[in-house]
């Protein structure tokens, strides 16, 4: 079976991992960096993703999208009160948020697909093979629409998403693999935009989730915002400038707030410096860890209620938890660790890299699916109750929260008016009594043969698969025939829309790949030129003149090719240069070895 | 927007089938491998082509988990069997198999999960066994024990009064204390009912182990089932009130 990679599609950063000799490993980029910032920017040269896109946050804020995960599976009304924080323009079509980038609008799955594609390319370049299958992680508390949106993103990126897996449980797989623990563990996963808590029982390779809880709208971002609000208020007070009128400066303030928060995890105080608009100089202040913590405490307190809920739902008390595992960058904050320790009554385990453990776990799950790992099995649960609307606007629960998945429930429907030909079914997710307080997932119309009231018998099966995604099928019990159901998602892309996006993405893929090859060839050419220049300077005197001349000619030819647009020409000139400089490099190596044997440093002899 | 009338729920069909369903299912009951058509003798897999077989709709949860219809089950053994069967059926292990096998694995795993969830909890287990033995639908009507009828009516009044009162006032405190005492009393009653239930469970298991087909055995069976139904119904009723109380005075 072709290789399946594991992907952590994060709010702030994303990673891709693979299995090597029974151990999960993160795919690094050419500079050894493991994380791809989840940022997409529209530049004059097209769309860019990751580190280079992150630079555009302050340069080009209206055309740089970050934290897109917050919008997955959502409508505009869901994010109304945070719109002011985002410099890019959000609209809505068909219940799905659209993000404006230049002349075009993109759905959150499309933006996420760009990040996924970047990860796919990175893995392909590193592993030297084509990658078409992936396991992608989502917050455990993601609802059906958010999971479906993530799956759509994978499809648009040209990936077959073999499994959507919950982040805290992915982390537990990586943790379990390393520690070979038995017992009850709690995973506290506090990331950039989401919070999850899962309680698991680990026994003989089975990872059974007992309960999960969380908040898909609570993360380190919220702490950053409190800092931003503080700085803006102070700048307004001191300088009379409203930073929120300047999107580029807003982004600079946000990034400075994030960096300061990170520094304060190791230091007790730090200096803040923010360039002011209109050449008004800089705003500077000192920020102490105490000040940060007194701001952040409200956010951190909000993470504890879901912990208590999860423990209760698991039928346990904090003292039954053997080990607490921390996941997500926000768990680096000392106050978070203190509060978690106080709640569970034991110091949390934080030896795993909280940024990488989720992607590593996704790779483990990918290995299970491809048949590599057979001794581990994850039994996860659905985080939210699933039900349908019944008379009086009340939700009737069919599958309760924390039910092990796959889970199914059957309901028999009939008519109560003679000749009625359809029954409308409204599917909901949530824990509240009334329909209006729960999340609408989808609606569909059940076709019923026109018969006297009460005679038709249609059995509808609601099945939550191992991805936590709902599938609905119906059977006419009188004829035994199954009928297809067209489910219209309340907050999702329709199948035809996803298909069109996949087509679009293929159409542009050829162009994208061309552009990417050129960029990569140029970067490689640059580093080769630099290295060769250095060799010439250091060891040019050790070879004959003809040789250095040949090298210099090859160098100049490469630099001409580099300014062109043909990646193949660049690669060809690079090969020529490498050939021309081969002898020089050997001589240089021998020389330094010789000097090394005499116990002297290169710098001392030259 | 004009909407068709709300769906009218007939019953929860997750439970043992009614007579008419059973006939249809019997027609569909498998004896042949869906793949190679040879007779299936293995438990979960065809012995000839090694394909996974669908758990028949006729299979009850006890049979599914390989336990006899007893009401006292060792939770450790139940869990071990659940884990073992999860390793057999979980979709994770069918990713490289055909779509048909994947569909069977998915539906088997869903049945297995429901079976385990039902049998793991002694109360749900007893309710399920009652449904199996008496062929009734899942929902056992909840009703208050006759001797508590008056007390519960009074309690409902006190609850209303408390909800309307100022929590900080003397009256609020007084009502809170009353409700707390009531809650404790009801919880004791619940525990009592549960130990009565456990005795009935033991009676049931003993009767089943004896396996006698006498008329006195039949009478004993009917007695146990009747008392169990009554107790379960009362217990659920008390349980709902206790939960309501706890939520209100928390």
């Amino acid at each position: 079976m072709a290789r399946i990679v594991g992907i952590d599609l994060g709010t702030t950063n994303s990673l891709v991992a693979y299995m090597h000799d029974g151990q999960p490993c993160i795919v690094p980029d050419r500079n050894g960096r493991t994380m791809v910032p989840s940022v997409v920017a529209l530049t004059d040269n097209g769309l860019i993703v990751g580190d280079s896109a992150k630079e555009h946050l302050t340069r080009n804020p209206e055309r740089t999208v970050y934290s897109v995960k917050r919008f997955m599976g959502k409508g505009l009304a869901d994010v109304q009160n945070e719109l002011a924080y985002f410099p890019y323009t959000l609209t809505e079509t068909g219940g799905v948020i659209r993000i404006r980038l230049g002349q075009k609008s993109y759905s959150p799955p499309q933006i996420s697909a760009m990040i996924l594609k970047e990860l796919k390319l990175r893995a392909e370049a590193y592993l030297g093979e084509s990658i078409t299958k992936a396991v992608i992680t989502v917050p455990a508390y993601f609802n059906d629409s958010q999971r479906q949106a993530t799956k759509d993103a994978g499809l648009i990126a040209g990936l077959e998403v073999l499994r959507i897996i919950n982040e805290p449980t992915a982390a537990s797989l990586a943790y379990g693999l390393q520690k070979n623990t038995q017992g009850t563990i709690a995973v506290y996963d506090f990331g950039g935009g989401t919070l999850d808590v899962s309680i698991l029982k680990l026994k003989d390779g089975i990872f059974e989730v007992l309960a999960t809880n969380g908040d898909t709208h609570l993360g380190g971002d919220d702490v950053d915002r409190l800092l931003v609000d503080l700085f803006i208020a102070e700048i307004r007070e001191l300088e009379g400038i409203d930073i929120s009128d300047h999107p580029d400066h807003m982004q600079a303030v946000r990034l400075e707030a994030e960096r300061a928060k990170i520094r304060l995890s190791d230091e007790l105080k730090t200096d803040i410096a923010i360039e002011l608009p209109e050449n008004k100089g800089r705003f500077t202040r000192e920020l102490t860890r105490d000040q940060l913590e007194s701001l952040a405490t409200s956010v951190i307190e909000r993470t504890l209620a879901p912990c208590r809920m999860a423990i209760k739902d698991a039928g346990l008390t904090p003292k039954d938890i053997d080990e607490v595992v921390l996941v997500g960058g926000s768990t680096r904050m000392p106050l978070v660790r203190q509060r978690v320790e106080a709640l569970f009554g034991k110091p949390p385990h934080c030896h795993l890299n909280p940024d990488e453990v989720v992607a590593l776990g996704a790779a483990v799950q990918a290995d299970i699916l491809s048949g590599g790992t057979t001794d581990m099995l994850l039994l996860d649960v659905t985080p939210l109750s699933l039900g349908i609307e019944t008379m009086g606007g009340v939700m009737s629960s069919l599958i309760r929260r924390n039910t092990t998945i796959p889970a199914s429930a059957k309901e028999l429907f009939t008519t109560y008016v003679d000749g009625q030909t359809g029954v409308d079914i409204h599917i909901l997710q949530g824990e509240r009594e009334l329909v209006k307080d729960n999340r609408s997932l989808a609606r569909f119309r059940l076709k019923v043969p026109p018969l006297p009231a009460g005679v038709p018998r249609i059995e509808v099966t609601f099945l939550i698969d191992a991805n936590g995604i709902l599938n609905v099928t119906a059977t006419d019990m009188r004829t035994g025939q199954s009928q297809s159901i067209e489910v219209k998602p309340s907050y999702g892309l329709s199948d035809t829309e996803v298909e069109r996006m996949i087509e679009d993405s293929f159409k542009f893929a050829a162009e994208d790949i061309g552009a990417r090859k050129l960029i990569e060839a140029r970067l490689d050419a640059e580093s080769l030129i630099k290295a060769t220049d250095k060799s010439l300077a250091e060891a040019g005197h050790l070879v004959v003149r003809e040789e250095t001349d040949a090298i210099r000619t090859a160098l100049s030819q490469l630099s001409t090719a580099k300014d062109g647009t043909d990646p193949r020409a660049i690669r060809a000139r690079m090969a020529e240069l490498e050939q021309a400089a081969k002898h020089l490099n050997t001589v240089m190596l021998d020389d330094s070895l010789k000097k090394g044997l005499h116990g002297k440093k290169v710098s001392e002899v030259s | 927007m004009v909407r068709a009338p709300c769906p009218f729920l007939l019953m929860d069909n997750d439970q043992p089938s009614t007579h008419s369903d059973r006939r249809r299912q019997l027609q569909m009951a498998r004896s042949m491998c869906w793949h190679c058509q040879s007779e299936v003798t293995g438990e979960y897999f065809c012995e000839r082509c090694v394909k996974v077989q669908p758990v028949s709709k006729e299979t009850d949860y006890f049979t599914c988990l390989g336990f006899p219809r007893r009401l006292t089950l060792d939770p450790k053994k139940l869990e071990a069997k659940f884990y073992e069967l999860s390793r057999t059926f979980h979709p994770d292990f069918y990713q490289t198999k055909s779509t048909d096998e994947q569909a069977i694995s998915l539906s088997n795993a869903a049945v297995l999960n429901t079976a385990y969830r039902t049998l793991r909890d002694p109360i749900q287990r007893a309710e399920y066994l009652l449904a199996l033995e008496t062929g009734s639908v899942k929902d056992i009507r909840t009703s208050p024990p006759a001797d508590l009828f008056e007390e519960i009516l009074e309690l409902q009044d006190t609850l209303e009064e408390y909800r309307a009162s100022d929590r900080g006032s003397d009256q609020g405190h007084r009502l809170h204390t009353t409700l707390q005492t009531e809650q404790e009393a009801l919880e004791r009653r619940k525990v009592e009912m549960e130990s009565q239930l456990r005795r009935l469970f033991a009676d049931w298991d003993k009767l089943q182990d004896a396996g006698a087909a006498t008329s006195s055995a039949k009478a004993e069976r009917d007695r146990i089932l009747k008392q169990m139904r009554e107790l379960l119904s009362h217990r659920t009723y008390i349980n709902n009130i206790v939960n309501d109380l706890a939520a209100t005075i928390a």
Side-chain angles (χ1 to χ4, degrees):
Chain A
M1 191 175 189
R3 188 194 289 280
I4 312 172
V5 293
I7 292 176
D8 173 5
L9 184 59
T11 307
T12 323
N13 292 298
S14 298
L15 302 93
V16 54
Y18 68 104
M19 209 67 169
H20 180 70
D21 282 345
Q23 285 303 318
C25 317
I26 304 279
V27 176
D29 71 357
R30 64 179 68 247
N31 299 312
R33 283 177 297 201
T34 55
M35 296 200 279
V36 175
S38 303
V39 183
V40 173
L42 178 64
T43 68
D44 296 338
N45 298 321
L47 287 158
I48 55 168
V49 181
D51 282 307
S52 47
K54 200 174 173 180
E55 288 165 19
H56 287 260
L57 280 170
T58 49
R59 265 198 269 156
N60 203 351
E62 291 94 344
R63 305 211 291 178
T64 309
V65 184
Y66 64 95
S67 292
V68 69
K69 192 171 175 178
R70 284 195 166 228
F71 306 128
M72 294 288 271
K74 299 244 163 134
L76 203 54
D78 298 323
V79 294
Q80 207 58 47
N81 51 11
E82 55 183 325
L83 285 183
Y85 288 98
F86 293 101
Y88 42 92
T89 311
L90 297 170
T91 55
E92 185 189 286
T93 314
V96 177
I97 288 178
R98 312 283 160 153
I99 298 151
R100 186 126 204 104
L101 274 182
Q103 298 304 306
K104 283 183 77 179
S105 279
Y106 299 88
S107 64
Q110 282 175 296
I111 300 284
S112 297
M114 295 170 197
I115 300 165
L116 288 173
K117 247 191 226 169
E118 180 70 24
L119 295 167
K120 178 177 186 279
L121 288 169
R122 177 183 279 202
E124 285 174 341
Y126 185 79
L127 299 168
E129 60 190 276
S130 151
I131 302 289
T132 55
K133 294 172 180 196
V135 168
I136 303 179
T137 64
V138 294
Y141 219 55
F142 252 20
N143 65 27
D144 186 88
S145 319
Q146 292 167 305
R147 286 167 195 270
Q148 192 60 59
T150 306
K151 214 175 166 189
D152 291 344
L155 282 174
I156 298 167
L159 287 169
E160 187 187 343
V161 183
L162 292 185
R163 182 59 50 84
I164 296 287
I165 170 179
N166 295 329
E167 284 154 15
T169 42
S172 78
L173 282 179
Y175 170 81
L177 186 72
Q178 204 175 62
K179 298 275 291 182
N180 197 23
T181 314
Q182 309 270 324
T184 309
I185 66 165
V187 182
Y188 175 96
D189 179 356
F190 192 30
T194 57
L195 167 88
D196 279 325
V197 186
S198 288
I199 314 287
L200 293 101
K201 184 169 170 180
L202 274 57
K203 196 176 176 186
D204 306 327
I206 300 263
F207 292 63
E208 186 189 4
V209 180
L210 301 177
T212 198
N213 210 296
D215 188 332
T216 59
H217 236 73
L218 182 61
D221 280 8
D222 296 279
V223 176
D224 300 347
R225 272 184 203 166
L226 293 172
L227 279 177
V228 168
D229 289 345
L230 173 75
F231 297 157
I232 288 178
E234 287 180 346
I235 292 169
R236 193 184 294 124
E237 179 99 337
L238 286 169
E239 316 281 345
I241 301 169
D242 195 342
I243 297 275
S244 51
D245 294 339
H246 305 265
D248 44 344
H249 287 81
M250 265 296 272
Q251 287 310 305
V253 175
R254 187 178 71 84
L255 292 171
E256 179 68 4
E258 186 191 359
R259 283 191 298 261
K261 175 189 73 178
I262 292 170
R263 286 196 300 270
L264 287 175
S265 289
D266 296 318
E267 293 153 28
L268 290 172
K269 58 179 202 280
T270 188
D271 293 318
I272 307 289
I274 295 163
E275 297 292 332
L276 296 173
E278 299 158 14
N279 297 321
K280 291 259 174 76
R282 320 168 78 182
F283 164 82
T284 56
R285 96 194 286 284
E286 192 186 74
L287 185 72
T288 66
R289 188 188 284 177
D290 283 349
Q291 289 168 325
L292 170 70
E293 290 185 345
S294 68
L295 271 179
T297 190
S298 63
V299 173
I300 296 168
E301 284 305 315
R302 276 172 64 202
T303 70
L304 301 180
C307 295
R308 294 191 191 98
M309 254 328 238
I311 298 171
K312 185 168 174 268
D313 281 354
L316 302 172
T317 60
K319 67 171 175 7
D320 298 321
I321 310 287
D322 299 316
E323 186 101 51
V324 182
V325 180
L326 296 182
V327 181
S330 300
T331 61
R332 287 205 172 90
M333 292 175 72
L335 185 60
V336 170
R337 296 189 172 187
Q338 280 165 30
R339 303 300 295 143
V340 171
E341 178 169 348
L343 179 76
F344 288 96
K346 54 186 66 71
H349 176 96
C350 32
H351 304 300
L352 295 170
N353 181 337
D355 295 321
E356 295 181 355
V357 63
V358 168
L360 295 174
V364 175
Q365 179 65 37
D367 199 48
I368 294 172
L369 296 183
S370 57
T373 299
T374 52
D375 54 342
M376 289 164 91
L377 173 62
L378 181 59
L379 300 173
D380 217 324
V381 299
T382 182
L384 298 156
S385 299
L386 181 99
I388 49 173
E389 177 170 353
T390 52
M391 224 85 75
V394 175
M395 168 167 148
S396 149
S397 256
L398 296 174
I399 298 174
R400 296 238 161 242
R401 72 162 185 271
N402 293 323
T403 297
T404 307
I405 51 174
S408 70
K410 288 176 178 155
E411 287 284 347
L412 201 56
F413 291 92
T414 189
T415 52
Y416 78 131
V417 175
D418 287 345
Q420 187 181 331
T421 55
V423 177
D424 279 359
I425 296 174
H426 185 193
I427 310 175
L428 304 154
Q429 213 168 21
E431 310 310 320
R432 304 282 296 276
E433 189 89 355
L434 296 179
V435 168
K436 65 176 175 59
D437 298 322
N438 290 305
R439 188 76 179 164
S440 168
L441 288 190
R443 291 172 191 275
F444 66 91
R445 166 164 278 236
L446 204 58
K447 274 176 259 148
V448 180
L451 289 166
V455 174
R457 271 155 196 267
I458 312 284
E459 183 185 77
V460 179
T461 305
F462 301 85
L463 175 84
I464 300 180
D465 65 16
N467 302 308
I469 293 179
L470 176 69
N471 301 268
V472 186
T473 49
T475 313
D476 187 330
M477 295 301 278
R478 292 176 324 111
T479 62
Q481 271 183 346
S482 61
Q483 65 164 270
S484 66
I485 293 179
E486 214 167 292
V487 177
K488 193 194 167 299
S490 308
Y491 295 94
L493 301 169
S494 65
D495 288 351
T496 41
E497 216 175 344
V498 173
E499 256 159 52
R500 192 177 47 77
M501 288 173 179
I502 295 171
E503 273 169 32
D504 278 358
S505 122
F506 276 127
K507 231 182 282 168
F508 298 120
E511 277 171 45
D512 289 354
I513 288 171
R516 189 187 174 85
K517 278 192 174 145
L518 179 61
I519 293 169
E520 281 179 356
R522 278 176 178 167
L523 287 171
D524 289 345
E526 258 163 41
S527 50
L528 181 65
I529 291 172
K530 228 181 259 172
T532 315
D533 278 342
K534 197 163 163 262
S535 305
L536 276 177
E538 275 174 20
H541 62 281
L542 297 174
V543 296
V544 294
R545 175 75 182 270
E546 283 76 18
E547 214 175 307
T548 53
D549 281 350
I551 294 171
R552 288 211 170 83
T553 313
L555 262 174
S556 90
Q557 276 170 349
L558 176 58
S559 67
T560 314
K562 187 175 74 77
D563 294 336
T565 54
D566 183 0
R568 269 172 308 183
I570 300 174
R571 296 283 174 199
R573 299 290 93 76
M574 280 174 68
E576 284 167 20
L577 176 57
E578 275 166 354
Q579 190 56 41
K582 199 173 170 186
H583 180 244
L584 171 68
N585 285 329
T586 320
V587 170
M588 195 167 81
L589 193 68
D590 286 349
D591 190 50
S592 61
L593 278 175
K594 228 181 281 166
K595 283 167 184 160
L597 284 176
H598 289 286
K600 284 180 183 171
K601 285 184 189 157
V602 178
S603 56
E604 287 170 351
V605 263
S606 55
Chain B
M1 186 176 68
V2 182
R3 291 196 50 208
C6 266
F8 172 42
L9 305 185
L10 267 183
M11 55 163 226
D12 186 340
N13 204 54
D14 215 12
Q15 289 303 310
S17 40
T18 55
H19 182 69
S20 61
D21 296 331
R22 179 160 293 163
R23 199 178 50 217
R24 196 183 59 80
Q25 283 164 355
L26 277 178
Q27 288 163 1
M28 295 168 51
R30 76 183 158 87
S31 55
M32 261 198 285
C33 169
W34 59 272
H35 184 251
C36 72
Q37 268 85 43
S38 64
E39 198 178 338
V40 175
T41 48
E43 208 173 352
Y44 307 114
F45 297 90
C46 168
E47 285 180 338
R48 199 170 134 225
C49 68
V50 213
K51 297 276 189 234
V52 65
Q53 300 297 314
V55 169
S56 158
K57 284 189 171 183
E58 280 286 285
T59 309
D60 68 69
Y61 298 160
F62 289 95
T63 315
C64 175
L65 279 155
F67 280 80
R69 279 192 202 183
R70 300 291 185 274
L71 288 171
T72 318
L73 300 181
D74 179 354
K76 285 216 167 67
K77 280 188 189 153
L78 193 68
E79 184 190 76
K81 187 69 184 178
F82 170 63
Y83 284 169
E84 181 199 319
L85 290 178
S86 292
R87 286 189 185 279
T88 310
F89 292 135
H90 198 279
D92 276 10
F93 302 130
Y94 288 82
Q95 206 69 51
T96 55
K97 302 272 166 64
S98 69
T99 1
D100 284 334
E101 286 165 280
Q102 285 182 15
I104 293 170
S105 122
L106 184 61
S107 105
N108 282 5
V111 171
L112 173 68
N113 287 336
T114 314
Y116 180 57
R117 194 170 59 252
T118 310
L119 296 195
R120 184 175 47 179
D121 175 57
I123 298 293
Q124 280 192 57
R125 186 193 306 153
E127 285 176 348
Y128 178 70
L129 182 117
L130 255 181
L132 273 184
E133 292 292 332
T134 62
S136 60
V137 296
K138 182 183 171 194
D139 282 332
I140 293 173
R141 292 247 167 271
T142 69
S143 62
D147 64 306
L148 284 186
F149 202 68
E150 291 291 321
E151 200 180 323
I152 284 164
L153 279 183
E154 210 170 296
L155 175 65
Q156 302 284 19
D157 286 345
T158 321
L159 259 174
E160 283 309 305
E161 219 179 312
Y162 177 70
R163 285 196 178 106
S165 74
D166 174 5
R167 308 279 157 107
S169 69
D170 281 352
Q171 193 212 13
H173 282 301
R174 189 176 49 78
L175 289 170
H176 189 271
T177 317
T178 315
L179 288 173
Q180 232 167 1
T181 321
E182 278 294 340
Q183 188 188 333
E184 283 157 17
L186 286 173
E187 268 170 5
R188 274 196 301 276
R189 182 67 187 254
K190 194 178 114 184
V191 171
E192 202 179 294
M193 285 174 166
E194 283 167 358
S195 61
Q196 272 175 284
L197 271 171
R198 269 195 299 276
R199 279 197 294 278
L200 279 177
F201 293 170
D203 288 349
W204 171 265
D205 291 354
K206 209 161 70 192
L207 185 73
Q208 295 299 308
D209 289 340
T214 59
S215 62
S216 71
K218 165 97 173 57
E220 170 71 351
R221 172 187 180 276
D222 292 349
R223 175 195 70 90
I224 296 171
L225 290 175
K226 184 163 171 287
Q227 284 188 7
M228 212 153 69
R229 171 181 295 271
E230 206 173 86
L231 266 170
L232 284 169
S233 137
H234 294 167
R235 187 207 156 270
T236 309
Y237 191 91
I238 301 278
N239 194 42
N240 290 345
I241 294 186
V242 169
N243 286 344
D244 196 21
L245 259 174
T248 314
I249 64 178

